[in-house]
Amino acid sequence: MQWKRITAVAATVMVAAAACGSPSSKNGNNSGGNGELGSAQVKATDPTAKGPAAEVDGAKKGGTVTVLSDVTPDTFDPTNIYYVDGNQIGKLFYRALTQYRLDGPDHKPVLVPDLAEDLGTKSADGLTWTFKLKQGIKYMDGTPVKAADFAYSIKRSFAHDLYDAGPTYQQQFFLDGEKYKGPYGPGGANYRGVETPDDHTLVIKLAKKFDDLPFYGAFPMFTPIPQAKDTQKNYEQKPMTTGPYQVASYNPGNELKLTKNPNWDPNTDPVRHQYVDGWDFKFAQDTIKVQRQVLASAGPDANALNYSNLDVSLLPEVKDQSQLVTGPGPCNQMYTMDSRKIPLEVRKLIAKSYPYDSWRKVAGLNPKDSPPASTILPPAVPGFEKYELPGLNGTGKGAEDPAVAQQVKDELAKLGKSGFQLSWYFSIDDKIASQVSQLRQQAYEKAGFTVKAIGVPKAKLRTFVGNQDAPVNIGKTPAGWCSDWPSGTSWFPVLFKSDAIALGNSVGQLQDRALDAKIDAIVAKSPEEQLKEWSKIDKDILENYLPVLPLYYAGTNSPVGKNIGHAINDPTQGMPEFTSIYLKQP
C-alpha cells in the first residue's frame, strides 16, 4: 500500500500507501507498542471469527469526530484506493471479503472473515478459491448484497484505464488477468476468472498460485458493487456501503462527511463498531497548525485528530503523552529516481549528494518514529535483514559538505553530465514542502546539477506524482510503501518488476528481465523458503540498480484530541485505527 504522507513533512514529493480495533482494558488511548518499530509481523488468521466485535471497555456512543488532515486522499472509489489513509477511512464504510482484527495489548493483526463466512477454500492445484458469503447482508439503502456484486467489483478492477491507482495483484495472478480489460470494454462483464454458482458463493480462478489471496481480500477492491449502481468515476460520491457508516457528502480535495449506516448489522461484523454518530474529514490542512490545535484541544478540537506523525518541533508542546498514538508500522519512505531518465552512474551521484541530516531537520522527523533506513524492506516484514551499503544509510551531509559537492561536480563532468537536470513536484501551498524543496535544490545545485522544481497545489499532488510518465525524473509514486500483508511478495513483485510501470506501481521504473526472473523464482518458492531470499533481492536492487534511496522506516506517532477514546495504532498501516474510536464525553 502506498503510504499516506505526501506532504513535505515526509519528503516533499514522497508519498506519505486494513485492520480493525479490538477492546482495550483502558478507556483512553493505547499505543500498542513502545513507540519503536517493533519486530516482524506474522500471518495470523482466525477463520472461525464471528460478529459482533468485542465491546471496547467504557466506550460511549454519540458525537462527531473531526479529522484534520494535512494530506489529501486522491480517491474514495473502492477499486482505486491504495494509500493507507484511504484504506483506513474506507474501512468505516466499506466491508470486504476479509479484514484484520487487532488482538491483545500489542494489537496483533489477525485476519478474519468479514463479508465472507470463511477465509476461502483452496483447490488441490491451488488455482481455484471458493468463498462462502454471509447471508442477510444489506447495503445502506436496505437492498441485499449478492455474490454477483462481489464478482462485478473484481471485474471492475481490471478497468485500469479508469482505475489506475488501485492494487494490481489480480492482473498478475488471476485467470486472464493480462487480457481482460474490465466490464466497460470489449467482452463486457464476461470474465472467466470469477464465477457465482449462487447468491452466496464466490469462486475466483487463478493463472498461477496465490496463497496470499485471503489477505488480498481485505482490500476495499473486494467490497461488493451492484453493476446497476456503478457510475464509474462518480461512484465515490455516493457509493453503496456495507460498513457502519455511509457517505453523506464528499467534496474532493476538501471534505468528506460520514453518517451512520442504518442497515449495518454489527452481529455480522467481527471487527467494527459504530460508537460515534458521524465523521468529518477536512483535508489539505496546514500541518503544524492543525497538530497544534489537536494538542491544545480547545473546544471542538478536543474531538479531533490528525493522522500524520507529529512534527518534531511540536514535541515540547505535548503535555499529555496519552495524546500521542504510537506504535510500529510496516512502512518505508524512499526517494525515487526514474531509471529510464537518469543513468545509473548519475543515480549514484544523486545518492552521494542527498542532504539527509538537514533534510530530516527541515522535514520535522523524529528518530523514534522515523529512524534512518538502509534497506528497502522495513523491520516489520518477515525476511528483513539489516545491512548497510556505503552512503546508503539515511544519514550524512551530502553535497552540503563542500568536498562532497566538488567530488560530485567533478564526476558529473567526467561522465559528460555536467548540469544534469533533476526535476520534481512539490506542494506549493505547504510551507514545509517549500522549505524542503529549497533545501534539496540548494544541495544539488552545489553538486553541479540543474534543478527544476515544479510547485502544484497540495490537494492535487497525488495526481501529479502518481503519473508514471510525468515529465519529472524524481519523486514519482510510490515513494513510500507499506506491506499489503506480512510478506516480501507484497513488495518486490509489485514494485520492481518491469510490468509495474504499466500497472502504475513501479519504484524507479525499472525494466530488467533478469531482475524479473529472480523475483519470479522467489515467488514460486514456499513461504518458508522465500524468507531466506527477500533480503538478497533487497540488497541486489540497491547495489546494482539503485532506483531508490531508502530514507526512513516509519512508525506511528499521531496526535489526538483529549476527548478521543480508544485511539490505537494499526500496525498493518502505521496510523490510528478509526473503527473503534469513541468520544469520552459525546
Side-chain angles (χ1 to χ4, degrees):
M1 285 173 287
Q2 299 195 57
W3 196 29
K4 63 182 180 289
R5 279 185 175 238
I6 194 164
T7 64
V9 181
T12 303
V13 298
M14 305 304 178
V15 181
C20 290
S22 58
S24 166
S25 59
K26 299 180 180 179
N27 294 344
N29 304 326
N30 191 322
S31 70
N34 57 7
E36 298 177 356
L37 295 181
S39 56
Q41 297 175 4
V42 296
K43 290 181 176 178
T45 63
D46 181 2
T48 63
K50 307 290 183 185
E55 292 293 333
V56 173
D57 250 3
K60 299 178 181 178
K61 295 186 177 183
T64 297
V65 173
T66 300
V67 179
L68 300 172
S69 175
D70 50 300
V71 295
T72 307
D74 57 335
T75 181
F76 287 109
D77 187 300
T79 304
N80 230 13
I81 290 175
Y82 207 13
Y83 283 81
V84 293
D85 55 352
N87 223 355
Q88 190 70 262
I89 296 168
K91 196 167 56 176
L92 289 166
F93 47 98
Y94 296 128
R95 294 179 65 183
L97 286 174
T98 59
Q99 195 49 263
Y100 292 92
R101 186 183 68 209
L102 303 184
D103 286 359
D106 291 328
H107 312 131
K108 173 186 174 183
V110 178
L111 191 76
V112 299
D114 190 359
L115 288 177
E117 286 278 6
D118 51 34
L119 296 180
T121 301
K122 182 176 62 171
S123 63
D125 64 4
L127 298 179
T128 301
W129 284 78
T130 302
F131 291 87
K132 288 294 184 182
L133 305 172
K134 291 176 180 174
Q135 301 188 27
I137 303 294
K138 296 179 180 179
Y139 293 107
M140 77 287 189
D141 64 356
T143 56
V145 171
K146 299 180 180 179
D149 302 342
F150 289 91
Y152 183 73
S153 67
I154 293 173
K155 295 172 186 177
R156 191 177 189 263
S157 72
F158 287 95
H160 199 60
D161 55 335
L162 281 179
Y163 314 111
D164 58 355
T168 56
Y169 294 95
Q170 70 278 12
Q171 292 171 274
Q172 296 174 311
F173 288 96
F174 286 23
L175 185 66
D176 292 339
E178 296 179 353
K179 302 175 184 177
Y180 183 59
K181 301 303 178 184
Y184 317 124
N190 296 319
Y191 170 53
R192 295 195 303 150
V194 288
E195 296 177 353
T196 53
D198 55 55
D199 280 346
H200 303 292
T201 306
L202 175 69
V203 178
I204 298 175
K205 296 188 175 183
L206 305 176
K208 51 187 175 182
K209 289 184 180 180
F210 186 27
D211 289 345
D212 289 331
L213 180 58
F215 290 86
Y216 190 30
F219 275 89
M221 191 196 92
F222 290 90
T223 199
I225 299 176
Q227 183 173 359
K229 296 290 186 178
D230 182 12
T231 54
Q232 298 184 33
K233 279 296 188 178
N234 293 322
Y235 185 72
E236 64 183 355
Q237 291 291 331
K238 199 67 178 177
M240 299 296 287
T241 60
T242 48
Y245 298 91
Q246 60 185 343
V247 175
S249 64
Y250 176 43
N251 182 2
N254 293 295
E255 189 172 32
L256 170 71
K257 290 187 176 183
L258 305 179
T259 54
K260 282 185 175 182
N261 172 4
N263 283 296
W264 171 71
D265 183 0
N267 293 315
T268 67
D269 196 328
V271 291
R272 297 171 184 80
H273 299 280
Q274 195 188 52
Y275 291 135
V276 300
D277 293 333
W279 291 78
D280 186 2
F281 293 86
K282 298 179 184 294
F283 303 115
Q285 304 291 305
D286 179 85
T287 308
I288 302 294
K289 179 183 177 183
V290 296
Q291 291 189 340
R292 183 167 276 142
Q293 284 179 225
V294 169
L295 289 175
S297 289
D301 289 336
N303 297 345
L305 64 89
N306 170 268
Y307 58 75
S308 288
N309 282 359
L310 188 73
D311 189 274
V312 70
S313 68
L314 297 181
L315 286 175
E317 298 182 28
V318 180
K319 308 302 181 186
D320 182 352
Q321 291 299 317
S322 71
Q323 279 192 263
L324 293 180
V325 179
T326 62
C331 308
N332 192 357
Q333 185 70 19
M334 303 172 280
Y335 184 71
T336 62
M337 301 172 285
D338 191 330
S339 61
R340 301 169 301 180
K341 298 181 177 182
I342 307 176
L344 176 59
E345 293 306 314
V346 177
R347 299 200 297 273
K348 292 179 180 179
L349 297 179
I350 291 172
K352 194 171 186 177
S353 305
Y354 197 90
Y356 292 102
D357 295 348
S358 293
W359 168 74
R360 290 184 61 85
K361 291 178 182 177
V362 174
L365 297 179
N366 183 342
K368 288 187 176 181
D369 58 57
S370 306
S374 63
T375 62
I376 295 169
L377 285 182
V381 180
F384 166 83
E385 289 184 19
K386 186 172 178 60
Y387 65 86
E388 288 189 9
L389 296 174
L392 289 175
N393 62 0
T395 62
K397 293 183 178 180
E400 289 192 314
D401 181 336
V404 171
Q406 190 60 51
Q407 289 172 8
V408 172
K409 190 177 293 185
D410 292 344
E411 291 180 46
L412 280 173
K414 290 179 184 178
L415 293 171
K417 299 293 184 182
S418 295
F420 188 93
Q421 186 180 85
L422 305 180
S423 54
W424 61 73
Y425 294 114
F426 71 98
S427 300
I428 197 169
D429 49 354
D430 186 296
K431 182 179 178 181
I432 298 177
S434 298
Q435 291 173 341
V436 169
S437 182
Q438 184 177 24
L439 168 70
R440 290 167 51 206
Q441 180 168 345
Q442 291 171 348
Y444 282 123
E445 287 178 344
K446 288 178 183 177
F449 292 96
T450 300
V451 172
K452 182 181 180 182
I454 306 169
V456 299
K458 180 191 295 188
K460 298 291 185 181
L461 186 58
R462 286 186 182 178
T463 301
F464 282 98
V465 297
N467 178 5
Q468 295 273 304
D469 294 316
V472 295
N473 56 18
I474 295 285
K476 294 174 185 176
T477 63
W481 196 253
C482 302
S483 292
D484 290 331
W485 51 83
S487 170
T489 57
S490 72
W491 286 75
F492 298 102
V494 72
L495 299 180
F496 297 104
K497 286 187 62 180
S498 298
D499 63 357
I501 298 174
L503 297 175
N505 297 320
S506 180
V507 168
Q509 292 72 45
L510 287 173
Q511 294 172 301
D512 190 282
R513 297 302 174 188
L515 179 60
D516 293 348
K518 291 178 185 178
I519 293 173
D520 286 341
I522 297 176
V523 172
K525 296 178 181 290
S526 69
E528 294 74 21
E529 292 173 319
Q530 289 177 8
L531 291 179
K532 306 171 186 176
E533 302 295 330
W534 288 129
S535 185
K536 296 177 185 177
I537 282 288
D538 192 316
K539 188 175 182 181
D540 184 14
I541 290 173
L542 287 186
E543 196 165 28
N544 299 311
Y545 299 91
L546 195 62
V548 64
L549 310 183
L551 293 178
Y552 63 89
Y553 309 119
T556 305
N557 192 30
S558 304
V560 299
K562 293 180 179 179
N563 197 36
I564 299 286
H566 202 254
I568 63 173
N569 176 53
D570 181 345
T572 71
Q573 298 192 14
M575 64 179 289
E577 195 282 320
F578 290 155
T579 71
S580 60
I581 281 177
Y582 67 92
L583 294 177
K584 299 173 186 176
Q585 299 295 327

